[in-house]
Amino acid sequence: MDKVQGKVIWITGASSGIGEELAYQLAEKGATLILSARSANKLKKVKEECVTRFSAQVLVYPMDVSDPEAIKAAVSTVSEKIGSIDVLINNAGFGHTQAFLDYDFSRAENMFKVNVLGLMYMSQLVARDMKQAGAGHIINIASIAGKVATPKSAVYSATKFAVIGFSNALRLELKDNNIQVTTVNPGPVDTPFFDEFDPSGEYLKNVSSMVLSAEYVAHETVAAIGTKKREVNLPRSLSVASKLYALFPLISDFLVRTAFNKK
């Protein structure tokens, strides 16, 4: 029997990209899904696809993860309807690339609300129920950008550094409660994320050889469910690069700056 069959799995940011693909792959494996994102219409289409193709059990709960009250209401409602969550996949997030000296700070604040604070609050509320249930798994979708920063991604990289640091500490706190915490750190992924992150297309052009598919990232994320993996770094070449970055920071800074300042 597949390790996710019959499990209750909550995915945030499930209306497109990695989150949407996670929904399809988990529905195929027999999981019961809770899907959240801001767009009710997009979530409804993902649910219909899951039900039509896989006869999956799916609950749609539209939610803005930048709003703590919305998160609190969602967790309360879902707990009453379904009970304990077996797996929480914190996938909601967005990015924007721009020189920091020109950055609109209201955008920076919102990015931290979505990418970091919303993720933390979801984790806190759901983990409390997991603790009572005696088991659980929290998977936080971070980024290689949280390990290797690049020019014009100062704010986005900062949010992902925060997610990785939070996850590493939370893992230690929850270990005795039989709750696993895994961080998934993909490189650039071909999703609508880049419509906002990189409107000019320059970033994608610089990293074209490393761009991943949403299907691949979702597959590797699903494979981590039920394991004790601390983190999943994708692709593996960037995993090696992140280790070299830590060992040889001055050389790495020069190489990264040169690569991402190509015209």
Side-chain angles (χ1 to χ4, degrees):
M1 183 178 293
D2 193 280
K3 60 188 175 181
V4 303
Q5 186 172 12
K7 297 292 186 182
V8 178
I9 301 178
W10 195 340
I11 307 168
T12 67
S15 61
S16 64
I18 296 170
E20 179 181 1
E21 187 58 36
L22 280 167
Y24 299 148
Q25 293 189 23
L26 289 167
E28 184 176 17
K29 291 179 177 294
T32 296
L33 301 177
I34 301 108
L35 306 180
S36 290
R38 288 180 301 173
S39 174
N41 290 334
K42 290 181 180 179
L43 286 175
K44 183 180 178 181
K45 291 179 181 178
V46 176
K47 175 181 177 177
E48 289 173 351
E49 191 76 5
C50 290
V51 173
T52 301
R53 290 170 58 188
F54 310 114
S55 300
Q57 296 184 52
V58 183
L59 172 65
V60 163
Y61 200 107
M63 176 182 65
D64 182 351
V65 296
S66 69
D67 182 352
E69 290 303 315
I71 293 174
K72 185 176 180 180
V75 173
S76 176
T77 300
V78 169
S79 296
E80 289 176 4
K81 288 186 175 181
I82 294 184
S84 179
I85 306 301
D86 296 304
V87 182
L88 169 65
I89 304 179
N90 283 309
N91 171 68
F94 76 98
H96 179 70
T97 181
Q98 185 178 14
F100 180 69
L101 297 187
D102 301 322
Y103 215 89
D104 180 347
F105 233 72
S106 64
R107 188 194 293 268
E109 289 174 356
N110 192 44
M111 199 181 300
F112 268 88
K113 286 179 181 178
V114 174
N115 294 6
V116 183
L117 298 177
L119 176 149
M120 292 172 70
Y121 197 37
M122 280 290 297
S123 298
Q124 183 185 65
L125 296 184
V126 173
R128 286 173 177 170
D129 289 340
M130 288 178 173
K131 180 179 178 179
Q132 288 189 341
H137 196 161
I138 296 172
I139 298 179
N140 293 326
I141 307 298
S143 173
I144 286 291
K147 291 174 170 284
V148 180
T150 58
K152 298 184 180 180
S153 68
V155 176
Y156 178 70
S157 290
T159 67
K160 295 305 182 178
F161 269 91
V163 169
I164 292 171
F166 166 71
S167 301
N168 288 342
L170 185 65
R171 183 182 303 111
L172 302 178
E173 291 188 24
L174 298 181
K175 183 176 178 59
D176 291 341
N177 302 120
N178 195 30
I179 301 172
Q180 178 63 28
V181 179
T182 301
T183 309
V184 177
N185 305 312
V189 185
D190 185 13
T191 70
F193 169 88
F194 275 100
D195 295 345
E196 180 167 0
F197 183 82
D198 178 39
S200 71
E202 286 300 313
Y203 185 97
L204 271 181
K205 187 186 301 181
N206 289 331
V207 299
S208 58
S209 63
M210 296 178 285
V211 174
L212 306 170
S213 69
E215 292 83 359
Y216 172 69
V217 176
H219 177 271
E220 295 298 301
T221 302
V222 170
I225 295 175
T227 72
K228 295 184 178 181
K229 287 186 177 181
R230 296 179 73 259
E231 59 182 25
V232 178
N233 299 304
L234 305 168
R236 285 167 179 77
S237 61
L238 285 182
S239 177
V240 173
S242 70
K243 292 180 173 63
L244 293 175
Y245 187 88
L247 291 171
F248 307 104
L250 293 179
I251 295 174
S252 299
D253 278 351
F254 171 77
L255 293 174
V256 170
R257 186 174 184 277
T258 301
F260 283 86
N261 279 331
K262 291 178 180 177
K263 299 298 183 183

